[in-house]
Amino acid sequence: DARVTQTPRDKVTEMGQEVTMRCQPILGHNTVFWYRQTMMQGLELLAYFRNRAPLDDSGMPKDRFSAEMPDATLATLKIQPSEPRDSAVYFCASGLVSGGTGANVLTFGAGSRLTVL
Amino acid sequence: SQQGEEDPQALSIQEGENATMNCSYKTSINNLQWYRQNSGRGLVHLILIRSNEREKHSGRLRVTLDTSKKSSSLLITASRAADTASYFCAETSGSRLTFGEGTQLTVNP
């Protein structure tokens, strides 16, 4: 089965440190999403890409978060500097959209659990 | 912040009973999707209903969509203990998916 691979699975770091999360989307998928999940806020959309171009990153705190797709096989989410309130599970998901109103069914990775002390 | 709401937030039933979860959304959608999340895992797609459809079935799942009320419901029939999970609806506008707050379903054996 094709799957979305996320690394690291678990990360514990100290406040102020840089954190980079990586995602390998499913080959052939043309959309990539980053979500953050916490008990208080649920699933928040941070950013998403289509054909490697960022379409919307309005959900991210721009001063500390950045998301990129250096190539079709890698998406990254970086936090610098990290803060305790960034502690959450970060999910990457990829999907295939074939047209303007085409369905976009997402396949999720297993998530990266981030704890910032 | 989350768009859309789901109710109930939590639902506990006995095996064999039916479970109904509701979702309200806010935007004009292309389609609406339901996903399931087991504890500690990523979300898994269950079913998609297009904006011009009113009802859709897949195995023990039945989804309805009322675009005039901007609401959808997910019915799981003859529930099993293995159905215990969180269930999320996702409104789709263009290629963007925004998830609701989810319903935690517990099916007691």
Side-chain angles (χ1 to χ4, degrees), chain A residues 26-84:
Chain A
I26 290 175
L27 190 65
H29 280 188
N30 59 0
T31 61
V32 173
F33 292 70
W34 284 103
Y35 292 91
R36 174 170 67 182
Q37 187 175 38
T38 61
M39 289 294 291
M40 294 299 295
Q41 298 295 327
L43 270 165
E44 299 174 275
L45 176 61
L46 297 177
Y48 75 104
F49 296 77
R50 182 167 176 172
N51 296 323
R52 293 178 55 204
L55 289 192
D56 187 351
D57 60 2
S58 59
M60 291 198 313
K62 298 288 194 314
D63 56 337
R64 299 185 300 107
F65 284 60
S66 62
E68 296 180 346
M69 278 202 74
D71 61 62
T73 65
L74 178 65
T76 62
L77 180 67
K78 186 176 296 185
I79 308 174
Q80 167 65 15
S82 58
E83 297 180 2

Side-chain angles (χ1 to χ4, degrees), chain A residues 3-7 22-26 92 109-110:
Chain A
R3 59 180 64 186
V4 175
T5 303
Q6 288 187 247
T7 57
R22 293 176 173 80
C23 168
Q24 181 175 358
I26 290 175
C92 174

